[in-house]
Amino acid sequence: MSALPSLSPAPTPTTSEPTQTPEQLSGARRSLVLFVVQGIPLLGFCAGVWLFLREGISGWDLGLLVGMYLLTMVGIEVGFHRYFAHRTFETTRPLRALFLILGSMAGQGSALLWSAVHRTHHAHTDQPGDPHSPLLRGFFWAQFLWYLEMPAIGRFGRLLDRYRASPADILASREDDQAHRIARTLPDLLRDEPLVRLNQRYGTWMLLGFVLPTLAGGLVTGTWAGALRGLVWGGLVRYYLVQQVTFAINSVGHTVGVHSMNSRDTSRNNVVMALLTLGSGWHNNHHAFPGSARVDFRWWQVDLGGLLLRLLARLGLVWDLREPSPDALLAARIDR
Ligand SMILES: [Zn+2]
Ligand SMILES: [Zn+2]
């Protein structure tokens, strides 16, 4: 592992204008977006509760739920967060594609969109321009509503389609709407045309997150009812849980827990969140060293995403895992 001398996320976002007037969705469109992002997943979760009250949950259904949760959370935390958003390690093209597909199966937007929003969060943490700081708009807003003031999220895929011939041309564009601004936080990813093409199949990958558990449930039980239970537990319930746990990094990750590293923001370390998110819940550690591939800076902190990366490094599938030097870690501690 190499030392990471800087506290800055890598690479540094090149542009963002926090002082610009935020673009707004119309009232009707806000209701529609809210229903799609929160209402439909909640209905899926309720289907799971109804099924549980009616017939309980079998060991196989529980396995599908946990297995799909872990797969998609690895896609989000190790793939989208530590690889695409922060570039904290290097990997092979097939594994990179797998990370992109697993993260897309979580249904939180494409790898490039997710990374653009997240880099914007790091560039303006708890300041105007942070898309989801609870310090600015409150806990509830950071957990459930923040995307309503980012109409760029709905336009981002179409923007990349417009620049299909040469995605890097977005970087030189003079257009300055929100979608262009967040896209310009991705100079490295936009120059990677095969990656952008894979990214643009997001809808297919997201669908796979529901088709796979449905197929698995149907094939193992040999019944349509088994397929339906696979869809409910491995698809719908898993989708809601991974979504809410990831969003909780925005809210809980900046309000509940211990602030023991100097990161100049409200980020907190929270052991429950760390376990649920495979490491991201050591959020204060992460904000102190966003370019680090590991976030377990004390011997008792468990970072499952970091452990997976160390295992993959042993197998030669990932390399150049970046981490802060012991001196930098010590200097950043405010509870020495
Ligand atoms: Zn944060
Ligand atoms: Zn981050």
Side-chain angles (χ1 to χ4, degrees), residues 37-65:
V37 177
Q38 297 286 346
I40 294 176
L42 182 60
L43 286 174
F45 180 75
C46 289
V49 173
W50 176 79
L51 197 61
F52 180 76
L53 293 176
R54 198 164 167 263
E55 53 190 65
I57 181 170
S58 71
W60 169 250
D61 293 336
L62 187 63
L64 267 182
L65 171 61

Side-chain angles (χ1 to χ4, degrees), residues 9 77 81-82 85-86 114 118-119 121-122 249 280 283 286-287 289-291:
E77 175 53 19
H81 190 207
R82 299 195 204 187
H86 290 295
W114 201 102
H118 191 69
R119 287 184 186 184
H121 166 59
H122 275 275
I249 289 292
S280 194
H283 204 54
H286 171 60
H287 269 277
F289 295 96

Side-chain angles (χ1 to χ4, degrees), residues 104-121:
S104 301
M105 280 162 53
Q108 297 175 11
S110 71
L112 267 68
L113 171 60
W114 201 102
S115 299
V117 172
H118 191 69
R119 287 184 186 184
T120 306
H121 166 59

Side-chain angles (χ1 to χ4, degrees), residues 94-269:
L95 199 56
R96 188 180 74 161
L98 183 64
F99 283 145
L100 183 144
I101 292 168
L102 291 178
S104 301
M105 280 162 53
Q108 297 175 11
S110 71
L112 267 68
L113 171 60
W114 201 102
S115 299
V117 172
H118 191 69
R119 287 184 186 184
T120 306
H121 166 59
H122 275 275
H124 305 291
T125 310
D126 293 330
Q127 305 291 327
D130 183 338
H132 43 58
S133 168
L135 191 72
L136 301 178
R137 302 286 298 270
F139 183 95
F140 189 82
W141 186 83
Q143 174 73 28
F144 298 109
L145 304 175
W146 60 271
Y147 48 85
L148 292 175
E149 296 202 356
M150 290 206 80
I153 288 174
R155 296 199 301 265
F156 196 78
R158 289 198 296 278
L159 176 70
L160 292 187
D161 278 342
R162 238 180 79 197
Y163 286 88
R164 187 192 311 261
S166 179
D169 286 353
I170 296 175
L171 302 171
S173 166
R174 288 173 161 270
E175 289 182 68
D176 201 33
D177 56 274
Q178 192 185 53
H180 277 81
R181 287 200 298 279
I182 67 167
R184 284 196 283 266
T185 64
L186 307 169
D188 51 331
L189 302 180
L190 289 174
R191 290 192 178 98
D192 191 335
E193 290 182 20
L195 178 75
V196 177
R197 281 198 294 277
L198 200 66
N199 184 78
Q200 292 306 86
R201 298 204 188 113
Y202 167 68
T204 305
W205 311 136
M206 189 181 87
L207 210 59
L208 203 58
F210 297 97
V211 171
L212 279 181
T214 307
L215 271 180
L219 289 174
V220 165
T221 62
T223 64
W224 288 107
L228 191 62
R229 284 203 306 274
L231 171 66
V232 170
W233 292 114
L236 302 176
V237 174
R238 176 272 309 171
Y239 182 97
Y240 183 73
L241 294 178
V242 172
Q243 180 199 49
Q244 292 303 318
V245 165
T246 308
F247 281 9
I249 289 292
N250 307 338
S251 56
V252 178
H254 281 263
T255 49
V256 184
V258 179
H259 186 82
S260 56
M261 305 287 282
N262 185 7
S263 60
R264 302 189 199 96
D265 53 41
T266 61
S267 58
R268 308 296 169 96
N269 285 333

